[in-house]
Amino acid sequence: MTHSPQLARLGLFDARVPRYTSYPTAPHFDGTVDSALFTQWIEAIPEGSAISLYLHVPFCRRLCWFCACRTQGTSSDDPVNAYAATLHAEIALLRQHLPRGVTLSRLHWGGGTPTLLPASQMERLAAAVFEAVPLGAGAEFSVEIDPNEIDAVRLDALAAAGMNRASIGVQDFDPLIQKTIGREQSYELTRQVADMIRDRGVRSLNADILYGLPHQTTARISDSVQKLLTLSPDRVALYGYAHVPWMSRRQQMIPSDTIPTPQERLRLFETAAELFRWDGYVDVGIDHFARPTDGMARALAAGTLRRNFQGYTDDTAPVLIGLGASSISRFPQGFAQHVSGTSDYTKAIRAGQFPTHRGHVFAGEDKMRARIIEALMCDFHVSRTEILRDFACTPDRLDAMLRRAAEGFDGMIKLDASGLTIPPAARPLTRMVARAFDAYDQTKAQHSAAV
């Protein structure tokens, strides 16, 4: 167990720190990246290379109160079908600009709830994607599945299309917690869906579970984790619930006085983490766990674990293209994000252009700082040798950066000739250590102080 008094003294329980699924983080994107630049970046992809693709479906049958994602509730298939038609048009537009021979290493459908698409729509959408960008050897096709919004017909369609990894949202199995967060989903239903997925030959199953939910106690999260373990997921994301009712209006439905304190959140995380470890899972980064045979655990062992907008990944493709409203793309040149509103998204596609409206062009030390932050988040270690080898940075400059980052943590962060290391006892501080390398966050803080 970690040392709460020391972590409290270092500000862990008061800090609001980015998850660092990108650097710079999305709030620092600006309008310098538009449709024309996005198109140029696509056309600059080397012929015959492998890329990743993310397809976003921002619709849900019901809006869960805990969720802060950009989603729209709908009881009708009409807006979903209209949106899918626009996705088809964007896929066709992508195909026009992609260089020859590009293949897919990863395809992920997320949302929202992509499984609210009718089976026939799933089949057509998958066919359109693979016609534009064929799956490469050993490629992975994953889909986020809501157990409340799936059936045998839709699972058949996904399996036939080539889905070989499924991700199930669990959050928590406790009925009181489910009622409080607006996400009622029984263990029995979740178990049934997991069995249906595996019955169709899908080789790998992911699951998401949350800590820090209203009314959550160590006893309740222990019960939920033990139920989840009976499903034997290959990897688990143990995310912390962020209660931000001033940003997400639907979270105002959740009574703030039912939310665990920061100290209680840490105990909830540690309780769940210990249960995963006892069942043979390997710690992956700050909030994932995987079976030793899973690709993510193998990537961790090989030093090839990476981080993107979906969290941790074993995907090493240099390009990730996001399709759909609000989706974010990553290129060697920078990040690009589409407009969030489905009406604006549709309008742009109908005009024959990508709906990109913001992003970031890498400059200065961006790539080096991004790699340092990713190394901390993935490996808890920044290799001095690697950074000096791969980036135009002098030893004195790097040493000064590492030294400043290690300061102020009561000696909990290790600094030696190999680089900077976050020992196990200090790992709850990882994002705070990463923030020490975030030049944009530091600039923002300095500006706020000046104002």
Side-chain angles (χ1 to χ4, degrees):
M1 299 291 279
T2 51
H3 306 289
S4 293
Q6 188 176 18
L7 296 177
R9 189 168 60 252
L10 293 172
L12 174 66
F13 303 128
D14 303 314
R16 292 192 177 277
V17 190
R19 291 183 61 231
Y20 288 114
T21 52
S22 71
Y23 178 80
T25 57
H28 296 292
F29 291 177
D30 58 35
T32 57
V33 180
D34 58 11
S35 176
L37 189 55
F38 181 73
T39 303
Q40 289 176 27
W41 288 352
I42 291 173
E43 292 174 344
I45 296 171
E47 291 186 1
S49 61
I51 67 169
S52 296
L53 201 65
Y54 171 76
L55 190 147
H56 188 62
V57 179
F59 293 94
C60 295
R61 291 294 180 210
R62 71 202 188 294
L63 296 178
C64 303
W65 302 335
F66 74 90
C67 182
C69 298
R70 291 183 179 273
T71 56
Q72 304 173 42
T74 180
S75 58
S76 166
D77 283 345
D78 292 343
V80 178
N81 288 331
Y83 178 80
T86 308
L87 278 175
H88 277 273
E90 186 178 10
I91 293 167
L93 185 60
L94 174 65
R95 185 181 183 185
Q96 292 176 23
H97 294 283
L98 270 178
R100 292 180 299 177
V102 173
T103 58
L104 277 179
S105 65
R106 297 287 192 279
L107 170 63
H108 183 74
W109 290 8
T113 309
T115 50
L116 59 66
L117 292 167
S120 58
Q121 192 65 262
M122 291 176 174
E123 292 167 350
R124 291 195 297 273
L125 201 56
V129 169
F130 298 143
E131 187 176 355
V133 201
L135 283 173
E140 185 176 284
F141 174 17
S142 58
V143 180
E144 295 175 13
I145 293 176
D146 179 353
N148 288 300
E149 190 59 50
I150 195 67
D151 53 29
V153 175
R154 282 177 283 184
L155 278 178
D156 286 341
L158 289 171
M163 179 183 73
N164 50 23
R165 182 180 291 279
S167 182
I168 293 181
V170 171
Q171 322 320 334
D172 194 286
F173 285 120
D174 185 87
L176 173 61
I177 294 174
Q178 289 187 355
K179 185 175 181 180
T180 306
I181 66 175
R183 174 64 177 257
E184 297 187 49
Q185 175 184 316
S186 70
Y187 165 75
E188 291 73 23
L189 173 63
T190 308
R191 172 96 202 192
Q192 178 185 2
V193 170
D195 290 343
M196 291 169 66
I197 290 169
R198 288 202 166 104
D199 287 346
R200 283 156 178 78
V202 177
R203 68 169 189 258
S204 189
L205 181 67
N206 302 356
D208 295 347
I209 190 168
L210 296 177
Y211 68 93
L213 290 170
H215 301 296
Q216 207 171 42
T217 63
T218 54
R220 284 181 168 139
I221 201 170
S222 294
D223 182 66
S224 289
V225 169
Q226 290 177 71
K227 286 178 178 174
L228 177 61
L229 288 171
T230 67
L231 309 182
S232 194
D234 296 272
R235 64 178 69 156
V236 177
L238 176 61
Y239 291 130
Y241 166 62
H243 190 59
V244 288
W246 57 90
M247 292 176 58
S248 176
R249 292 181 59 188
R250 69 186 80 163
Q251 288 189 356
Q252 294 173 13
M253 301 290 291
I254 300 175
S256 294
D257 59 2
T258 64
I259 304 299
T261 66
Q263 291 84 350
E264 290 168 341
R265 283 171 59 91
L266 181 59
R267 286 193 291 272
L268 290 167
F269 174 83
E270 291 178 332
T271 298
E274 280 302 306
L275 290 170
F276 289 124
R277 294 174 191 133
W278 289 341
D279 209 60
Y281 287 79
V282 175
D283 288 66
V284 177
I286 62 170
D287 53 17
H288 279 54
F289 300 85
R291 294 287 188 194
T293 54
D294 182 78
M296 190 174 285
R298 294 198 302 269
L300 175 67
T304 57
L305 185 67
R306 294 294 179 260
R307 194 155 171 83
N308 64 19
F309 295 102
Q310 283 79 57
Y312 290 102
T313 180
D314 54 358
D315 178 22
T316 57
V319 172
L320 167 65
I321 296 177
L323 301 178
S326 79
S327 63
I328 301 177
S329 300
R330 181 200 68 229
F331 295 88
Q333 300 91 334
F335 297 112
Q337 184 172 22
H338 284 359
V339 292
S340 299
T342 53
S343 59
D344 290 336
Y345 166 71
T346 300
K347 182 179 179 180
I349 295 297
R350 285 178 177 171
Q353 62 184 23
F354 291 105
T356 311
H357 79 129
R358 63 196 295 262
H360 178 83
V361 179
F362 292 139
E365 295 182 336
D366 283 349
K367 289 188 176 182
M368 180 182 74
R369 289 177 180 269
R371 177 56 196 147
I372 289 173
I373 289 173
E374 183 179 57
L376 285 171
M377 298 293 293
C378 292
D379 306 315
F380 305 109
H381 176 71
V382 178
S383 167
R384 189 174 180 275
T385 300
E386 176 196 338
I387 300 303
L388 293 175
R389 179 195 67 208
D390 295 343
F391 301 95
C393 183
T394 66
D396 287 347
R397 170 66 174 158
L398 178 60
D399 290 343
M401 292 175 65
L402 297 177
R403 186 168 56 253
R404 283 196 300 269
E407 292 172 350
F409 288 102
D410 280 5
M412 295 185 73
I413 309 304
K414 180 182 176 183
L415 187 61
D416 58 24
S418 72
L420 185 147
T421 302
I422 305 176
R427 286 179 184 173
L429 300 166
T430 298
R431 291 191 297 160
M432 293 178 65
V433 179
R435 185 172 61 180
F437 295 96
D438 186 339
Y440 296 93
D441 185 84
Q442 293 163 16
T443 301
K444 179 181 177 181
Q446 291 166 2
H447 174 73
S448 299
V451 173

